[in-house]
Amino acid sequence: MQSLEHYTEKAATLSLRNQCWIDGKYVASVSGARFDSINPATGAVLTDVARGGAEDIDRAVKAARAAFADGRWSGKTPAQRKEALLKLAALLRENLEEFALLDTLDMGKPITETMTGDVPGAAHFFQWHGEAIDKLYDEVAPTGGRDLALIRRVPLGVIGAVVPWNFPLDMATWKLAPALAAGNSVVLKPAEQSPLSALRLGELAAEAGLPDGVLNVVPGFGEDAGQALGRHPDVDCLVFTGSTVVGKLFQRYAGESNMKQVWLETGGKSPNIIFPDADLDAAADMAAFGIFYNQGEVCSANSRMLVHESIAEDMLERMKTRAEAITVGNPLSPETTMGAMVDANHATRVEGFLKAGRESARLVTGGERLTIGGSDAFIAPTIFADVPMEAKIASEEIFGPVLSVQTFRDEDEAVAIANNTIYGLAASVWTRDISRAVSMSDRLHAGTVSVNTVDALSAMTPFGGMKQSGFGRDLSLHSFDKYSALKTVWIKY
């Protein structure tokens, strides 16, 4: 890692793309409206960005439809699409520092995380899906006689992708990589809090060889650009990562327009269950990571710790030590291990949960909103104990560095507490007993159950939820299911 001075100097010289990327070029929004992209760690305006609306979405969808219809991308062989995506992965690695700075400045996460995690991860996901696409085979049905029935996997057409601000580049990549690899064209709407890396990505994709119109990026607000994309009659599929409330809106938009497919990855309130036979130091290390990484702004964050009553105070002391060792500060400093909330409004929202926690539970550490470098968008790593089941902090997604700790007596009670939520995205279990581990994984209602770790994730395994955490899966070969259709071609000869 470089020094704070190095990253500060580089940040000051960045060229920030701030217009819509449509049909292979940067263009102003039709209305001319703009909005400020703000660095939450300082409160300073980074740049003003084109505020896309319905007309801009329509332009982007038309460009995407034309690109799909004439086969400039969908008509390429899988090997040719693979080549372009591998080039894009290589370009991301070549421009690692630039993209890391864009996401750090835009959403306040530490530069150490964007340099070592987010941008390398995005490059890896483009590479993985690119490598996979020419290894997926169609099928021949065993019809017999003088019949040949082919079962072909074909691209859907135009994909609308709406992604959140917590991992701006990574979440865009999770949607774009399989959608593009499968041969679709895409209109991407990044979150208004963090549009900069997505806008630069459009340009980089063109450099990698994606034809004009195949990838379009329209920054804007949910009520304008997001709703227009969800309602557009020429979008074949809408994919979304974000809040459960907004996910339900996209389902409504689809039903009220062209009944487009909608795939959602929404909220979470993931339990982390720790039994007495676990490696308690390892459990504490990973539990701290599971709630404090990325300022707790993670949909699958392990925000509920369920601890066996016999080790509760021991684990609380371990967690308190780890929370108080976190360095909250300037995201451009390599010494910082927790940055700012994405903006002051979100910090205010999280602060409301801190107040609710102090009224209903025992504060172990933290519980404060912090002002650093002139910005009040920072929250101290916080732990609450003795949290009642009915408490707001035990049931609602906080999306901040706030851990709720509850106790249980036995497996049945642990499962009952863990499953007592509208969400079902992730869960973790800590035990050395393999029978218990398997049994618990069977009983927990979650898309991913991690055993003796938290939030286990790989390009090779599907990621997604149950209940009101959504449906459909990102990553793995199963991600292609969202971006393709099965077509039967039956030939009599």
Side-chain angles (χ1 to χ4, degrees):
M1 298 298 296
Q2 299 289 341
S3 65
L4 168 62
E5 291 73 24
H6 170 85
Y7 292 121
T8 301
E9 180 182 343
K10 288 293 184 180
T13 60
L14 282 177
S15 177
L16 303 179
R17 279 64 170 177
N18 58 6
Q19 294 185 300
C20 304
W21 176 261
I22 298 176
D23 207 13
K25 57 183 177 293
Y26 288 111
V27 294
S29 62
V30 172
S31 69
R34 305 187 71 80
F35 66 94
D36 289 339
S37 181
I38 296 173
N39 180 347
T42 64
V45 175
L46 296 166
T47 186
D48 61 331
V49 179
R51 179 169 177 164
E55 291 177 291
D56 304 290
I57 290 293
D58 188 56
R59 282 195 301 171
V61 171
K62 286 178 177 176
R65 176 59 65 190
F68 182 76
D70 68 18
R72 70 187 75 165
W73 179 250
S74 59
K76 289 184 179 294
T77 66
Q80 290 171 324
R81 296 198 297 271
K82 166 185 170 179
E83 182 180 4
L85 293 182
L86 293 184
K87 175 64 173 174
L88 180 53
L91 287 171
L92 277 171
R93 294 185 177 107
E94 290 175 18
N95 294 274
L96 166 63
E97 189 173 77
E98 177 188 5
F99 276 90
L101 285 167
L102 289 174
D103 277 2
T104 288
L105 293 173
D106 230 2
M107 70 130 328
K109 65 170 59 187
I111 189 69
T112 52
E113 294 175 8
T114 54
M115 284 287 291
T116 63
D118 295 40
V119 184
H124 171 67
F125 294 131
F126 273 118
Q127 179 177 341
W128 193 92
H129 288 87
E131 288 281 9
I133 196 60
D134 65 352
K135 300 169 183 67
L136 295 179
Y137 291 83
D138 291 338
E139 303 170 28
V140 177
T143 53
R146 298 182 63 82
D147 294 290
L148 175 63
L150 309 176
I151 304 169
R152 301 180 53 214
R153 186 177 291 277
V154 298
L156 293 175
V158 175
I159 308 296
V162 180
V163 297
W165 44 258
N166 57 333
F167 293 94
L169 180 63
D170 265 7
M171 290 296 98
T173 301
W174 283 23
K175 312 301 186 189
L176 294 178
L180 293 171
N184 299 284
S185 298
V186 182
V187 178
L188 171 67
K189 193 206 86 68
E192 60 267 24
Q193 296 91 338
S194 57
L196 299 182
S197 59
L199 290 170
R200 177 71 174 102
L201 184 63
E203 186 178 31
L204 209 67
E207 185 180 342
L210 269 69
D212 294 350
V214 173
L215 173 58
N216 307 273
V217 184
V218 181
F221 287 71
E223 60 266 30
D224 303 323
Q227 181 173 177
L229 194 57
R231 292 186 180 277
H232 201 287
D234 206 24
V235 171
D236 298 292
C237 173
L238 191 288
V239 291
F240 170 75
T241 294
S243 73
T244 298
V245 170
V246 175
K248 292 178 181 180
L249 288 178
F250 280 113
Q251 289 182 302
R252 184 200 304 172
Y253 299 155
E256 292 174 350
S257 56
N258 64 334
M259 211 169 73
K260 60 178 66 65
Q261 294 184 39
V262 176
W263 298 101
L264 305 175
E265 192 267 279
T266 50
K269 194 69 178 175
S270 301
N272 186 14
I273 306 168
I274 303 174
F275 287 93
D277 65 334
D279 180 335
L280 298 188
D281 276 328
D285 287 341
M286 292 305 294
F289 171 83
I291 183 56
F292 299 132
Y293 175 72
N294 205 51
Q295 301 75 244
E297 296 167 324
V298 182
C299 55
S300 54
N302 284 229
S303 55
R304 292 186 295 148
M305 177 184 283
L306 280 53
V307 188
H308 190 272
E309 59 187 10
S310 67
I311 57 168
E313 290 305 317
D314 186 354
M315 282 301 299
L316 279 174
E317 190 59 36
R318 293 170 194 261
M319 292 302 299
K320 181 175 186 290
T321 299
R322 285 156 176 80
E324 293 176 354
I326 290 171
T327 301
V328 183
N330 186 342
L332 291 176
S333 171
E335 305 303 317
T336 293
T337 51
M338 182 184 290
M341 297 288 97
V342 69
D343 59 25
N345 288 336
H346 186 56
T348 298
R349 179 180 179 276
V350 175
E351 188 178 27
F353 282 100
L354 299 181
K355 180 177 184 295
R358 287 193 294 269
E359 292 172 351
S360 62
R362 170 165 59 102
L363 178 64
V364 176
T365 189
E368 299 173 308
R369 184 172 183 172
L370 306 175
T371 298
I372 299 173
S375 169
D376 66 349
F378 295 83
I379 299 290
T382 299
I383 300 172
F384 287 105
D386 305 330
V387 179
M389 289 285 291
E390 67 277 8
K392 183 178 180 180
I393 60 171
S395 59
E396 296 186 25
E397 184 177 39
I398 300 173
F399 226 63
V402 183
L403 178 66
S404 298
V405 181
Q406 299 168 291
T407 61
F408 64 88
R409 294 183 298 274
D410 54 32
E411 290 183 27
D412 289 342
E413 186 177 24
V415 169
I417 296 171
N419 288 338
N420 184 30
T421 173
I422 64 171
Y423 300 111
L425 188 54
S428 293
V429 178
W430 290 84
T431 179
R432 289 186 170 95
D433 185 331
I434 187 63
S435 295
R436 173 186 284 155
V438 174
S439 172
M440 292 292 293
S441 70
D442 285 343
R443 299 174 69 188
L444 292 170
H445 300 159
T448 297
V449 178
S450 304
V451 177
N452 295 331
T453 186
V454 300
D455 217 8
L457 183 144
S458 166
M460 298 178 288
T461 55
F463 179 89
M466 300 177 179
K467 300 193 283 188
Q468 292 191 47
S469 287
F471 42 83
R473 294 296 184 262
D474 288 317
L475 306 178
S476 84
L477 295 179
H478 295 283
S479 66
F480 291 108
D481 295 340
K482 297 193 296 189
Y483 304 106
S484 57
L486 296 179
K487 176 185 285 190
T488 297
V489 179
W490 194 301
I491 304 169
K492 297 190 76 69
Y493 63 93

PDB file of all heavy atoms in Angstrom, residues 372-383:
ATOM      1  N   ILE A 372     -15.138  13.586  12.057  1.00  0.00           N
ATOM      2  CA  ILE A 372     -13.713  13.432  11.729  1.00  0.00           C
ATOM      3  C   ILE A 372     -13.423  14.228  10.467  1.00  0.00           C
ATOM      4  O   ILE A 372     -14.138  14.084   9.460  1.00  0.00           O
ATOM      5  CB  ILE A 372     -13.350  11.945  11.511  1.00  0.00           C
ATOM      6  CG1 ILE A 372     -13.615  11.134  12.779  1.00  0.00           C
ATOM      7  CG2 ILE A 372     -11.899  11.790  11.070  1.00  0.00           C
ATOM      8  CD1 ILE A 372     -13.437   9.639  12.611  1.00  0.00           C
ATOM      9  N   GLY A 373     -12.401  15.058  10.518  1.00  0.00           N
ATOM     10  CA  GLY A 373     -12.028  15.825   9.337  1.00  0.00           C
ATOM     11  C   GLY A 373     -13.124  16.736   8.831  1.00  0.00           C
ATOM     12  O   GLY A 373     -13.237  16.970   7.622  1.00  0.00           O
ATOM     13  N   GLY A 374     -13.961  17.221   9.727  1.00  0.00           N
ATOM     14  CA  GLY A 374     -15.033  18.129   9.333  1.00  0.00           C
ATOM     15  C   GLY A 374     -16.304  17.449   8.881  1.00  0.00           C
ATOM     16  O   GLY A 374     -17.299  18.119   8.589  1.00  0.00           O
ATOM     17  N   SER A 375     -16.325  16.106   8.806  1.00  0.00           N
ATOM     18  CA  SER A 375     -17.517  15.370   8.394  1.00  0.00           C
ATOM     19  C   SER A 375     -18.100  14.620   9.582  1.00  0.00           C
ATOM     20  O   SER A 375     -17.370  13.990  10.350  1.00  0.00           O
ATOM     21  CB  SER A 375     -17.180  14.377   7.283  1.00  0.00           C
ATOM     22  OG  SER A 375     -18.258  13.486   7.062  1.00  0.00           O
ATOM     23  N   ASP A 376     -19.438  14.652   9.704  1.00  0.00           N
ATOM     24  CA  ASP A 376     -20.093  13.923  10.793  1.00  0.00           C
ATOM     25  C   ASP A 376     -20.754  12.651  10.277  1.00  0.00           C
ATOM     26  O   ASP A 376     -21.739  12.174  10.848  1.00  0.00           O
ATOM     27  CB  ASP A 376     -21.114  14.809  11.508  1.00  0.00           C
ATOM     28  CG  ASP A 376     -22.285  15.189  10.618  1.00  0.00           C
ATOM     29  OD1 ASP A 376     -22.224  14.948   9.392  1.00  0.00           O
ATOM     30  OD2 ASP A 376     -23.281  15.742  11.144  1.00  0.00           O
ATOM     31  N   ALA A 377     -20.208  12.072   9.206  1.00  0.00           N
ATOM     32  CA  ALA A 377     -20.790  10.875   8.595  1.00  0.00           C
ATOM     33  C   ALA A 377     -20.146   9.592   9.107  1.00  0.00           C
ATOM     34  O   ALA A 377     -20.221   8.558   8.452  1.00  0.00           O
ATOM     35  CB  ALA A 377     -20.669  10.950   7.077  1.00  0.00           C
ATOM     36  N   PHE A 378     -19.516   9.650  10.272  1.00  0.00           N
ATOM     37  CA  PHE A 378     -18.835   8.479  10.835  1.00  0.00           C
ATOM     38  C   PHE A 378     -19.622   7.936  12.029  1.00  0.00           C
ATOM     39  O   PHE A 378     -20.205   8.701  12.802  1.00  0.00           O
ATOM     40  CB  PHE A 378     -17.427   8.841  11.296  1.00  0.00           C
ATOM     41  CG  PHE A 378     -16.501   9.259  10.180  1.00  0.00           C
ATOM     42  CD1 PHE A 378     -16.500  10.569   9.695  1.00  0.00           C
ATOM     43  CD2 PHE A 378     -15.624   8.350   9.606  1.00  0.00           C
ATOM     44  CE1 PHE A 378     -15.647  10.957   8.674  1.00  0.00           C
ATOM     45  CE2 PHE A 378     -14.764   8.728   8.581  1.00  0.00           C
ATOM     46  CZ  PHE A 378     -14.779  10.033   8.109  1.00  0.00           C
ATOM     47  N   ILE A 379     -19.618   6.617  12.177  1.00  0.00           N
ATOM     48  CA  ILE A 379     -20.273   5.944  13.305  1.00  0.00           C
ATOM     49  C   ILE A 379     -19.247   5.040  13.985  1.00  0.00           C
ATOM     50  O   ILE A 379     -18.532   4.279  13.317  1.00  0.00           O
ATOM     51  CB  ILE A 379     -21.473   5.092  12.836  1.00  0.00           C
ATOM     52  CG1 ILE A 379     -22.536   5.961  12.170  1.00  0.00           C
ATOM     53  CG2 ILE A 379     -22.051   4.303  14.003  1.00  0.00           C
ATOM     54  CD1 ILE A 379     -23.287   6.882  13.091  1.00  0.00           C
ATOM     55  N   ALA A 380     -19.162   5.111  15.291  1.00  0.00           N
ATOM     56  CA  ALA A 380     -18.247   4.253  16.042  1.00  0.00           C
ATOM     57  C   ALA A 380     -18.725   2.803  15.999  1.00  0.00           C
ATOM     58  O   ALA A 380     -19.929   2.539  16.034  1.00  0.00           O
ATOM     59  CB  ALA A 380     -18.161   4.723  17.491  1.00  0.00           C
ATOM     60  N   PRO A 381     -17.792   1.846  15.910  1.00  0.00           N
ATOM     61  CA  PRO A 381     -18.181   0.429  16.005  1.00  0.00           C
ATOM     62  C   PRO A 381     -18.947   0.199  17.305  1.00  0.00           C
ATOM     63  O   PRO A 381     -18.469   0.553  18.381  1.00  0.00           O
ATOM     64  CB  PRO A 381     -16.842  -0.302  16.002  1.00  0.00           C
ATOM     65  CG  PRO A 381     -15.872   0.653  15.383  1.00  0.00           C
ATOM     66  CD  PRO A 381     -16.338   2.017  15.760  1.00  0.00           C
ATOM     67  N   THR A 382     -20.118  -0.394  17.184  1.00  0.00           N
ATOM     68  CA  THR A 382     -21.054  -0.432  18.311  1.00  0.00           C
ATOM     69  C   THR A 382     -21.524  -1.856  18.586  1.00  0.00           C
ATOM     70  O   THR A 382     -21.829  -2.608  17.659  1.00  0.00           O
ATOM     71  CB  THR A 382     -22.272   0.469  18.012  1.00  0.00           C
ATOM     72  OG1 THR A 382     -21.818   1.824  17.840  1.00  0.00           O
ATOM     73  CG2 THR A 382     -23.293   0.402  19.138  1.00  0.00           C
ATOM     74  N   ILE A 383     -21.610  -2.189  19.879  1.00  0.00           N
ATOM     75  CA  ILE A 383     -22.129  -3.492  20.304  1.00  0.00           C
ATOM     76  C   ILE A 383     -23.177  -3.277  21.382  1.00  0.00           C
ATOM     77  O   ILE A 383     -22.935  -2.563  22.366  1.00  0.00           O
ATOM     78  CB  ILE A 383     -21.008  -4.393  20.856  1.00  0.00           C
ATOM     79  CG1 ILE A 383     -19.926  -4.635  19.796  1.00  0.00           C
ATOM     80  CG2 ILE A 383     -21.584  -5.726  21.345  1.00  0.00           C
ATOM     81  CD1 ILE A 383     -18.706  -5.351  20.332  1.00  0.00           C
TER      82      ILE A 383
END
